[in-house]
Amino acid sequence: MKDYEIRRKDRAVDENAALEILKSGSFGVLSTIGADGYPYGVPVNYAYDDGKIYFHCAKNVGHKQDNLRFSGKVSFTVVTKSDVISEKFTTGYESAIAFGYASKTVTEKEKALRLLVQKYSPEFAEDGENHIKSAFERTDVFVIEIEKLTAKANKKTV
């Protein structure tokens, strides 16, 4: 992977801040490439834990899975703040992009589903456990092993 430098170095954030952006996003955009050469970006719910990003989907079907069978190389974008500042012709933002390899996981599937419940529905943990059990066989879970994480922010306006 080519190592591009951030052009606006004043907007670069350190690795800890990049991780905070990644952890705190409400959704991310998973970008894949298909056998037809077309890119595909799709918003997904996700959970981050210990250097990995987890997301779930329907079992063995869909555009996302077709692309991931073709190539596991992905990027994953999270934007946590986005405020258009019209009079300054700019936007206040925080964003992170993870690059890595996505693969289906069986061994971390239950852990990942619990992480998703914990992130999105923490007040419904018991119901979440029941939902995991009822949907478990109809669900696939993918894990992205992060190879590179970059982030930047325009905080002067946020």
Side-chain angles (χ1 to χ4, degrees), residues 50-84:
D50 196 27
K52 298 176 184 177
I53 299 167
Y54 298 93
F55 62 92
H56 73 296
C57 52
K59 194 163 193 83
N60 293 322
V61 297
H63 193 167
K64 178 174 33 198
Q65 287 222 36
D66 283 349
N67 282 12
L68 290 170
R69 280 188 283 276
F70 173 73
S71 174
K73 290 180 180 180
V74 299
S75 68
F76 191 83
T77 303
V78 174
V79 178
T80 56
K81 294 180 182 162
S82 177
D83 300 308
V84 175

Short mmCIF file of all heavy atoms in Angstrom, two decimals, residues 50-84:
data_model
loop_
_atom_site.label_atom_id
_atom_site.label_comp_id
_atom_site.label_asym_id
_atom_site.label_seq_id
_atom_site.Cartn_x
_atom_site.Cartn_y
_atom_site.Cartn_z
N ASP A 50 -9.84 -3.79 20.08
CA ASP A 50 -8.47 -4.33 20.05
C ASP A 50 -7.87 -4.39 18.64
O ASP A 50 -7.37 -5.43 18.21
CB ASP A 50 -8.45 -5.70 20.71
CG ASP A 50 -7.05 -6.15 21.08
OD1 ASP A 50 -6.18 -5.29 21.33
OD2 ASP A 50 -6.80 -7.38 21.11
N GLY A 51 -7.94 -3.26 17.93
CA GLY A 51 -7.31 -3.19 16.62
C GLY A 51 -8.11 -3.79 15.48
O GLY A 51 -7.61 -3.91 14.37
N LYS A 52 -9.36 -4.16 15.74
CA LYS A 52 -10.19 -4.79 14.71
C LYS A 52 -11.54 -4.09 14.63
O LYS A 52 -12.07 -3.60 15.62
CB LYS A 52 -10.43 -6.26 15.05
CG LYS A 52 -9.15 -7.08 15.10
CD LYS A 52 -9.47 -8.50 15.54
CE LYS A 52 -8.21 -9.33 15.69
NZ LYS A 52 -8.53 -10.67 16.19
N ILE A 53 -12.10 -4.10 13.43
CA ILE A 53 -13.43 -3.58 13.18
C ILE A 53 -14.32 -4.76 12.81
O ILE A 53 -13.96 -5.57 11.95
CB ILE A 53 -13.43 -2.55 12.03
CG1 ILE A 53 -12.53 -1.36 12.37
CG2 ILE A 53 -14.85 -2.10 11.70
CD1 ILE A 53 -12.23 -0.47 11.19
N TYR A 54 -15.48 -4.85 13.46
CA TYR A 54 -16.42 -5.93 13.20
C TYR A 54 -17.71 -5.37 12.61
O TYR A 54 -18.19 -4.32 13.05
CB TYR A 54 -16.78 -6.65 14.50
CG TYR A 54 -15.60 -7.30 15.19
CD1 TYR A 54 -14.89 -6.62 16.17
CD2 TYR A 54 -15.22 -8.59 14.87
CE1 TYR A 54 -13.82 -7.20 16.81
CE2 TYR A 54 -14.14 -9.19 15.51
CZ TYR A 54 -13.44 -8.49 16.49
OH TYR A 54 -12.38 -9.08 17.10
N PHE A 55 -18.28 -6.07 11.64
CA PHE A 55 -19.60 -5.73 11.11
C PHE A 55 -20.32 -7.01 10.73
O PHE A 55 -19.69 -8.05 10.53
CB PHE A 55 -19.52 -4.74 9.93
CG PHE A 55 -18.79 -5.27 8.73
CD1 PHE A 55 -19.46 -5.92 7.71
CD2 PHE A 55 -17.42 -5.10 8.62
CE1 PHE A 55 -18.79 -6.40 6.59
CE2 PHE A 55 -16.73 -5.57 7.50
CZ PHE A 55 -17.42 -6.22 6.49
N HIS A 56 -21.64 -6.94 10.68
CA HIS A 56 -22.43 -8.13 10.36
C HIS A 56 -23.27 -7.89 9.12
O HIS A 56 -23.47 -6.75 8.70
CB HIS A 56 -23.33 -8.50 11.54
CG HIS A 56 -24.47 -7.58 11.73
ND1 HIS A 56 -24.33 -6.25 12.07
CD2 HIS A 56 -25.80 -7.79 11.62
CE1 HIS A 56 -25.51 -5.69 12.16
NE2 HIS A 56 -26.42 -6.59 11.88
N CYS A 57 -23.75 -8.98 8.55
CA CYS A 57 -24.60 -8.91 7.38
C CYS A 57 -25.35 -10.23 7.24
O CYS A 57 -25.10 -11.18 7.99
CB CYS A 57 -23.79 -8.60 6.12
SG CYS A 57 -22.39 -9.69 5.84
N ALA A 58 -26.25 -10.27 6.26
CA ALA A 58 -26.98 -11.50 5.98
C ALA A 58 -26.00 -12.58 5.51
O ALA A 58 -24.95 -12.28 4.94
CB ALA A 58 -28.05 -11.25 4.93
N LYS A 59 -26.33 -13.79 5.75
CA LYS A 59 -25.44 -14.91 5.47
C LYS A 59 -25.27 -15.17 3.97
O LYS A 59 -26.25 -15.40 3.26
CB LYS A 59 -25.97 -16.16 6.16
CG LYS A 59 -24.96 -17.28 6.22
CD LYS A 59 -25.38 -18.30 7.25
CE LYS A 59 -24.27 -19.24 7.57
NZ LYS A 59 -23.33 -18.75 8.56
N ASN A 60 -24.03 -15.06 3.51
CA ASN A 60 -23.60 -15.51 2.17
C ASN A 60 -24.28 -14.83 0.98
O ASN A 60 -24.30 -15.39 -0.10
CB ASN A 60 -23.78 -17.02 2.02
CG ASN A 60 -22.85 -17.78 2.92
OD1 ASN A 60 -21.69 -17.40 3.12
ND2 ASN A 60 -23.34 -18.87 3.50
N VAL A 61 -24.85 -13.64 1.16
CA VAL A 61 -25.53 -12.99 0.03
C VAL A 61 -25.16 -11.51 -0.05
O VAL A 61 -24.69 -10.92 0.91
CB VAL A 61 -27.07 -13.12 0.14
CG1 VAL A 61 -27.51 -14.56 0.08
CG2 VAL A 61 -27.59 -12.45 1.39
N GLY A 62 -25.40 -10.96 -1.22
CA GLY A 62 -25.33 -9.52 -1.39
C GLY A 62 -24.07 -9.01 -2.07
O GLY A 62 -23.06 -9.70 -2.21
N HIS A 63 -24.16 -7.75 -2.47
CA HIS A 63 -23.10 -7.04 -3.17
C HIS A 63 -21.82 -7.01 -2.32
O HIS A 63 -20.72 -7.27 -2.81
CB HIS A 63 -23.60 -5.63 -3.48
CG HIS A 63 -22.76 -4.88 -4.45
ND1 HIS A 63 -23.20 -3.72 -5.04
CD2 HIS A 63 -21.52 -5.08 -4.96
CE1 HIS A 63 -22.27 -3.25 -5.85
NE2 HIS A 63 -21.24 -4.06 -5.81
N LYS A 64 -21.97 -6.67 -1.06
CA LYS A 64 -20.84 -6.56 -0.14
C LYS A 64 -20.07 -7.89 -0.08
O LYS A 64 -18.86 -7.92 -0.22
CB LYS A 64 -21.38 -6.16 1.24
CG LYS A 64 -20.40 -6.05 2.34
CD LYS A 64 -21.04 -5.50 3.63
CE LYS A 64 -22.46 -5.91 3.80
NZ LYS A 64 -23.24 -5.15 4.72
N GLN A 65 -20.81 -8.98 0.11
CA GLN A 65 -20.14 -10.28 0.23
C GLN A 65 -19.54 -10.74 -1.10
O GLN A 65 -18.46 -11.32 -1.11
CB GLN A 65 -21.12 -11.33 0.77
CG GLN A 65 -21.38 -11.11 2.24
CD GLN A 65 -21.40 -12.39 3.02
OE1 GLN A 65 -20.65 -13.31 2.75
NE2 GLN A 65 -22.26 -12.45 4.02
N ASP A 66 -20.22 -10.45 -2.20
CA ASP A 66 -19.63 -10.78 -3.51
C ASP A 66 -18.27 -10.08 -3.66
O ASP A 66 -17.29 -10.69 -4.09
CB ASP A 66 -20.55 -10.36 -4.65
CG ASP A 66 -21.71 -11.31 -4.86
OD1 ASP A 66 -21.71 -12.41 -4.27
OD2 ASP A 66 -22.64 -10.94 -5.61
N ASN A 67 -18.26 -8.79 -3.33
CA ASN A 67 -16.99 -8.05 -3.44
C ASN A 67 -15.94 -8.59 -2.49
O ASN A 67 -14.77 -8.71 -2.87
CB ASN A 67 -17.22 -6.56 -3.19
CG ASN A 67 -17.83 -5.85 -4.37
OD1 ASN A 67 -18.29 -6.48 -5.32
ND2 ASN A 67 -17.85 -4.54 -4.32
N LEU A 68 -16.31 -8.92 -1.27
CA LEU A 68 -15.33 -9.42 -0.30
C LEU A 68 -14.80 -10.79 -0.69
O LEU A 68 -13.66 -11.13 -0.35
CB LEU A 68 -15.93 -9.43 1.11
CG LEU A 68 -16.14 -8.04 1.70
CD1 LEU A 68 -16.95 -8.12 2.98
CD2 LEU A 68 -14.81 -7.34 1.93
N ARG A 69 -15.60 -11.57 -1.41
CA ARG A 69 -15.08 -12.85 -1.92
C ARG A 69 -14.05 -12.60 -3.03
O ARG A 69 -13.10 -13.35 -3.19
CB ARG A 69 -16.23 -13.73 -2.44
CG ARG A 69 -16.97 -14.46 -1.34
CD ARG A 69 -17.97 -15.47 -1.89
NE ARG A 69 -19.18 -14.87 -2.38
CZ ARG A 69 -20.23 -14.55 -1.63
NH1 ARG A 69 -20.21 -14.78 -0.33
NH2 ARG A 69 -21.31 -14.01 -2.17
N PHE A 70 -14.26 -11.52 -3.79
CA PHE A 70 -13.31 -11.16 -4.84
C PHE A 70 -12.01 -10.63 -4.25
O PHE A 70 -10.92 -11.04 -4.65
CB PHE A 70 -13.93 -10.12 -5.78
CG PHE A 70 -12.96 -9.57 -6.79
CD1 PHE A 70 -12.54 -10.36 -7.85
CD2 PHE A 70 -12.46 -8.29 -6.68
CE1 PHE A 70 -11.63 -9.88 -8.78
CE2 PHE A 70 -11.55 -7.79 -7.59
CZ PHE A 70 -11.13 -8.59 -8.65
N SER A 71 -12.12 -9.69 -3.31
CA SER A 71 -10.93 -9.12 -2.67
C SER A 71 -11.30 -8.66 -1.26
O SER A 71 -12.27 -7.93 -1.07
CB SER A 71 -10.41 -7.92 -3.45
OG SER A 71 -9.34 -7.30 -2.74
N GLY A 72 -10.49 -9.07 -0.32
CA GLY A 72 -10.71 -8.66 1.06
C GLY A 72 -10.11 -7.30 1.39
O GLY A 72 -10.28 -6.80 2.50
N LYS A 73 -9.40 -6.70 0.43
CA LYS A 73 -8.82 -5.38 0.69
C LYS A 73 -9.93 -4.34 0.78
O LYS A 73 -10.76 -4.24 -0.13
CB LYS A 73 -7.84 -4.99 -0.41
CG LYS A 73 -6.58 -5.81 -0.40
CD LYS A 73 -5.65 -5.37 -1.51
CE LYS A 73 -4.38 -6.21 -1.51
NZ LYS A 73 -3.47 -5.80 -2.58
N VAL A 74 -9.94 -3.59 1.87
CA VAL A 74 -11.02 -2.63 2.11
C VAL A 74 -10.47 -1.33 2.69
O VAL A 74 -9.35 -1.28 3.19
CB VAL A 74 -12.08 -3.19 3.08
CG1 VAL A 74 -12.73 -4.45 2.52
CG2 VAL A 74 -11.49 -3.45 4.46
N SER A 75 -11.30 -0.31 2.61
CA SER A 75 -11.10 0.87 3.44
C SER A 75 -12.40 1.09 4.19
O SER A 75 -13.48 0.65 3.77
CB SER A 75 -10.70 2.10 2.63
OG SER A 75 -11.75 2.54 1.81
N PHE A 76 -12.28 1.74 5.35
CA PHE A 76 -13.43 1.94 6.22
C PHE A 76 -13.37 3.36 6.76
O PHE A 76 -12.41 3.73 7.43
CB PHE A 76 -13.39 0.92 7.37
CG PHE A 76 -14.65 0.87 8.17
CD1 PHE A 76 -15.73 0.11 7.75
CD2 PHE A 76 -14.76 1.58 9.36
CE1 PHE A 76 -16.89 0.07 8.50
CE2 PHE A 76 -15.92 1.53 10.11
CZ PHE A 76 -16.99 0.78 9.68
N THR A 77 -14.35 4.17 6.42
CA THR A 77 -14.35 5.60 6.76
C THR A 77 -15.39 5.91 7.82
O THR A 77 -16.54 5.46 7.72
CB THR A 77 -14.66 6.43 5.50
OG1 THR A 77 -13.71 6.11 4.48
CG2 THR A 77 -14.62 7.92 5.80
N VAL A 78 -14.97 6.70 8.80
CA VAL A 78 -15.86 7.16 9.86
C VAL A 78 -15.75 8.68 9.94
O VAL A 78 -14.64 9.22 9.96
CB VAL A 78 -15.49 6.53 11.22
CG1 VAL A 78 -16.32 7.13 12.34
CG2 VAL A 78 -15.64 5.02 11.17
N VAL A 79 -16.90 9.35 9.98
CA VAL A 79 -16.94 10.80 10.20
C VAL A 79 -17.74 11.02 11.46
O VAL A 79 -18.89 10.59 11.55
CB VAL A 79 -17.60 11.54 9.01
CG1 VAL A 79 -17.67 13.04 9.27
CG2 VAL A 79 -16.86 11.24 7.72
N THR A 80 -17.13 11.68 12.46
CA THR A 80 -17.84 11.88 13.72
C THR A 80 -18.44 13.27 13.85
O THR A 80 -19.36 13.46 14.60
CB THR A 80 -16.93 11.62 14.93
OG1 THR A 80 -15.77 12.45 14.83
CG2 THR A 80 -16.53 10.16 15.00
N LYS A 81 -17.90 14.22 13.15
CA LYS A 81 -18.45 15.58 13.19
C LYS A 81 -18.41 16.13 11.77
O LYS A 81 -17.46 15.92 11.05
CB LYS A 81 -17.62 16.48 14.11
CG LYS A 81 -17.70 16.06 15.55
CD LYS A 81 -16.89 16.96 16.44
CE LYS A 81 -16.98 16.44 17.85
NZ LYS A 81 -15.95 16.95 18.70
N SER A 82 -19.45 16.87 11.44
CA SER A 82 -19.50 17.51 10.13
C SER A 82 -20.42 18.71 10.23
O SER A 82 -21.64 18.55 10.29
CB SER A 82 -20.00 16.54 9.07
OG SER A 82 -20.11 17.20 7.82
N ASP A 83 -19.81 19.87 10.30
CA ASP A 83 -20.58 21.10 10.43
C ASP A 83 -20.15 22.06 9.32
O ASP A 83 -19.03 22.55 9.32
CB ASP A 83 -20.32 21.75 11.79
CG ASP A 83 -20.72 20.85 12.94
OD1 ASP A 83 -21.86 20.37 12.91
OD2 ASP A 83 -19.89 20.61 13.83
N VAL A 84 -21.06 22.31 8.39
CA VAL A 84 -20.77 23.25 7.31
C VAL A 84 -20.75 24.66 7.88
O VAL A 84 -21.68 25.08 8.57
CB VAL A 84 -21.81 23.13 6.18
CG1 VAL A 84 -21.58 24.20 5.12
CG2 VAL A 84 -21.78 21.74 5.57
#
